[in-house]
Amino acid sequence: MARAGRNEPCPCGSGKKYKRCCETSAGQSRTRTMVLVVLGAVLAVILVGFALMDRDRGAGPNRVWSAEHGHYH
C-alpha cells in the first residue's frame, strides 16, 4: 500500500487532506510518547542521584573526618 501524500485525500475516508487528518494525530502521538520517555529518564536520573548522594553521606570504614573541611574524606 502506497503512503498518502500530504495534500492527497486521507485514506481513512474522512474527505480531509492527509496533512489535516491522520498526519497530525500520528505526529501528536509520537510527540507525546517522546515527552513521556524523556520525563521518565529525567526522573530516573534524579532518583539515582539521590540514592548515590545518601550513600556517600555517612562515615564508612575507610573514611576519615576532616575538621579543616568539615566533612568525611
Side-chain angles (χ1 to χ4, degrees), residues 56-67:
D56 292 340
R57 282 198 177 166
N62 297 328
R63 300 183 79 168
V64 179
W65 177 259
S66 171

Side-chain angles (χ1 to χ4, degrees), residues 3-9 17-20 23:
R3 183 170 171 234
R6 293 191 68 215
N7 291 319
E8 294 177 12
K17 289 183 179 182
Y18 180 74
K19 68 181 176 184
R20 301 265 184 215
E23 183 180 52

Side-chain angles (χ1 to χ4, degrees), residues 1-38:
M1 180 174 167
R3 183 170 171 234
R6 293 191 68 215
N7 291 319
E8 294 177 12
C10 190
C12 74
S14 67
K16 297 180 182 180
K17 289 183 179 182
Y18 180 74
K19 68 181 176 184
R20 301 265 184 215
C21 187
C22 291
E23 183 180 52
T24 58
S25 63
Q28 288 174 353
S29 175
R30 271 187 252 124
T31 302
R32 188 176 300 130
T33 302
M34 286 305 298
V35 167
L36 290 175
V37 167
V38 169

Side-chain angles (χ1 to χ4, degrees), residues 36-49:
L36 290 175
V37 167
V38 169
L39 286 175
V42 168
L43 182 61
V45 167
I46 290 171
L47 291 175
V48 167

